[in-house]
Amino acid sequence: MSVKSIDKDYDTLTITALAEFEAAPERVWELWADPRKLEGWWGPPTYPATVREHSLVPGGSVTYFMTGPDGQTYHGWWAVQQVDAPRKLSFRDGFADQDGTRRDDMPVTEVTVTLTARDGGTAAEIVTSFADRTQMDELISMGAVEGAAEAMSQMDAILASA
């Protein structure tokens, strides 16, 4: 598995995932840039993602839903802030209602993905930042750390099949 660590830092209100891939940054970048590849890993294996809209440009948006084992869907969105392919991506990530309306009662996080060429492969750092401790605790209690680890564990297979 390429995921090396997922660490919570309550002082900085962040969760940082570190991973290493045996693929060039351009190929790893496609895991976010190609909506079909994103669907292959964005949700944990038992909550596969379906991407509805995918505009990975500054000011663009990505909308998606994950389908649980019981068939219930969980909707989300990204507001894309920065794109520097194949090195850096930042976006706001939040929850949505079934009709895609953004939910104001749920946490919104800031996510920054940094890809760095290293030793013939790619080092990835994914930092999720929270507005406050309450929001961080809420997402952690919902299984965000375990879900991220499960989701990211699917990345290697997608890179191997490309």
Side-chain angles (χ1 to χ4, degrees), residues 32 38 42 56 60-62 64 77-80 91-93 102:
W32 284 268
L38 182 63
W42 184 249
L56 207 63
S61 64
V62 174
Y64 63 92
W77 55 269
W78 297 356
V80 181
F91 55 92
R92 297 178 74 228
D93 182 22
R102 294 179 183 188

Side-chain angles (χ1 to χ4, degrees), residues 90-129:
S90 64
F91 55 92
R92 297 178 74 228
D93 182 22
F95 294 85
D97 289 331
Q98 297 295 318
D99 66 1
T101 303
R102 294 179 183 188
R103 291 185 56 180
D104 295 330
D105 63 329
M106 295 295 290
V108 174
T109 60
E110 303 281 337
V111 179
T112 301
V113 178
T114 305
L115 304 177
T116 307
R118 184 176 297 156
D119 299 326
T122 302
E125 178 185 63
I126 304 165
V127 179
T128 302
S129 302

